[in-house]
Amino acid sequence: MLRRTVEELSTGSDSDYSNSWISWFLSSKGNEYFCEVEEDYILDRFNLTGLNTEVANYSQALDLITDNLDDEIQDELRGSLDVQARLLYGLIHARWIVTARGLAKMLEKYKKADFGRCPRVLCQSQPLLPVGLTDIPYEKSVKLYCARCEDIYSPKSSRHGSIDGAYFGTSFPHLLFLVYPHLIPPKSGPPDVSAASGSTSTSGGREEGGKRVAGRRAREEVDVGVAEGVGEGASTAAAAMKADRYRPKIFGFHVHEIAKLQRWQEAVRDKQVVKLEEIDV
C-alpha cells in the first residue's frame, strides 16, 4: 500500500526537471518535512555505504539525484527511475539528519513548527518531530513525536501521511534532544493539580485531583488505542492495554532516562487499568 502511494506521487513532466532534481523534489507538495541534503554529503560514497543493495538501479538513481543522468535515457524509464531516486534520497536523508549539520537544519524547521503541533491540550501546542517506527522502507509511514506527552501521532495531511517513516529513521528526534538538551520541554500536566481540579489544598483534595487527571490521561490513551484499530466493542481496560507505548530509541538502544521514566509511567498505568477493569465488571 505504501509503495503504491509513493509511485502515484512520483509523476512529473519534463519541465519539472529544468532545475536540479533535489530542488524539484523539495518544492513538490507533500515533501515539506524534508530538508536539503548537502551535495558534498551525497557525493561522499562512504556516506552511502550499503544503499546499493536497497535501491534498484542505484547508480542511475544517484545520477538522477545529482543531475548527472545521461540525457539520452529513454523517457519511459524516467518514471521508474524517479521512484528509485525518491527512495534513495529518502534513505540518504535519514542518515543526513542525524549528523551535526543535518540536526541543525531540522532544528530550524522544528522551531518554526513545520511538522505541526501536538493536539493534546495539556501539551500547550508543543511542536512535533517526524520519526519512523522502523528503518526498513515500505513498512511504516512517518509519525509525529511529541516530547511532552511522549506519544506519536499521524500527520493530518494525507500527503504527509504517505511519506515513508524510514526516510527519517527511528533515532532522529531523541538524538536531537540529546544534542540540544535545553530544548527538552517539561512533561505535560497542569502546574498545580489541586488548582486544576478545583479541589481544596488538603491531602484528600490532592488525591482526588490526581485521580481526575489520571482518568483523563487514561481516556486519552484509550482514544489512541481505538485509533490504532482496537474494536469499538472492546472494554475500556482492554483498549488501554492494547494501546502500545512508544519507546524512544537511538540506534536501537533505549534512551536511559526516558526508559527509567517509562517504567514508572507503566506502573501507574497498570494501576489505572486495574481500576478500569473493576469499573467494567
Side-chain angles (χ1 to χ4, degrees):
M1 181 64 181
L2 186 57
R3 183 190 297 271
R4 185 169 63 252
T5 304
V6 172
E7 292 175 349
E8 290 172 352
L9 293 175
S10 64
T11 58
S13 61
D14 292 339
S15 61
D16 292 331
Y17 296 91
S18 57
N19 297 323
S20 68
W21 186 92
I22 294 179
S23 298
W24 164 78
F25 176 79
L26 295 176
S27 62
S28 300
K29 291 183 178 180
N31 292 336
E32 292 81 7
Y33 285 1
F34 292 90
C35 70
E36 182 177 359
V37 181
E38 293 180 1
E39 185 176 2
D40 292 343
Y41 184 87
I42 298 177
L43 294 178
D44 187 343
R45 295 303 177 95
F46 176 78
N47 298 325
L48 313 185
T49 302
L51 294 183
N52 59 322
T53 61
E54 299 188 45
V55 180
N57 301 316
Y58 168 81
S59 298
Q60 292 143 323
L62 183 60
D63 288 341
L64 179 57
I65 290 176
T66 56
D67 303 309
N68 293 319
L69 188 65
D70 189 352
D71 292 335
E72 297 180 358
I73 188 173
Q74 297 181 13
D75 292 338
E76 59 269 18
L77 294 180
R78 171 155 285 179
S80 61
L81 273 182
D82 186 62
V83 174
Q84 299 304 320
R86 284 172 174 269
L87 171 61
L88 178 59
Y89 185 83
L91 296 178
I92 295 174
H93 183 268
R95 296 183 177 189
W96 161 251
I97 61 176
V98 294
T99 65
R101 289 178 294 177
L103 286 171
K105 284 194 173 184
M106 293 295 281
L107 177 61
E108 296 176 4
K109 299 174 70 67
Y110 170 70
K111 289 181 176 179
K112 294 185 292 185
D114 287 351
F115 309 111
R117 297 181 182 275
C118 184
R120 281 182 172 163
V121 175
L122 294 180
C123 288
Q124 303 173 5
S125 299
Q126 169 69 29
L128 302 172
L129 285 169
V131 66
L133 301 183
T134 176
D135 293 311
I136 302 175
Y138 298 131
E139 287 197 354
K140 296 285 186 178
S141 60
V142 68
K143 300 297 181 182
L144 299 175
Y145 172 73
C146 175
R148 277 185 185 265
C149 62
E150 300 175 2
D151 215 338
I152 56 174
Y153 304 88
S154 298
K156 292 182 179 179
S157 171
S158 59
R159 290 181 180 271
H160 296 153
S162 64
I163 299 176
D164 200 312
Y167 297 167
F168 296 89
T170 58
S171 304
F172 160 66
H174 327 301
L175 187 59
L176 180 73
F177 288 122
L178 284 181
V179 176
Y180 302 100
H182 63 281
L183 295 178
I184 300 176
K187 300 308 174 185
S188 59
D192 187 352
V193 174
S194 61
S197 61
S199 60
T200 62
S201 58
T202 62
S203 59
R206 287 196 298 270
E207 182 179 358
E208 183 65 24
K211 290 181 179 179
R212 293 179 184 177
V213 172
R216 180 166 62 251
R217 173 69 180 183
R219 289 193 296 273
E220 290 175 347
E221 291 182 351
V222 169
D223 291 340
V224 174
V226 172
E228 293 293 335
V230 178
E232 294 182 359
S235 66
T236 306
M241 290 301 294
K242 290 184 179 180
D244 294 334
R245 285 299 308 275
Y246 176 66
R247 299 179 180 276
K249 297 180 180 180
I250 296 182
F251 305 119
F253 296 95
H254 291 291
V255 182
H256 174 68
E257 290 300 326
I258 297 179
K260 181 179 179 181
L261 176 62
Q262 283 193 336
R263 285 194 293 270
W264 174 82
Q265 290 174 334
E266 288 173 357
V268 175
R269 186 197 64 176
D270 291 342
K271 292 180 180 179
Q272 186 66 25
V273 167
V274 173
K275 295 179 181 179
L276 290 174
E277 290 177 338
E278 294 175 354
I279 296 174
D280 290 336
V281 173

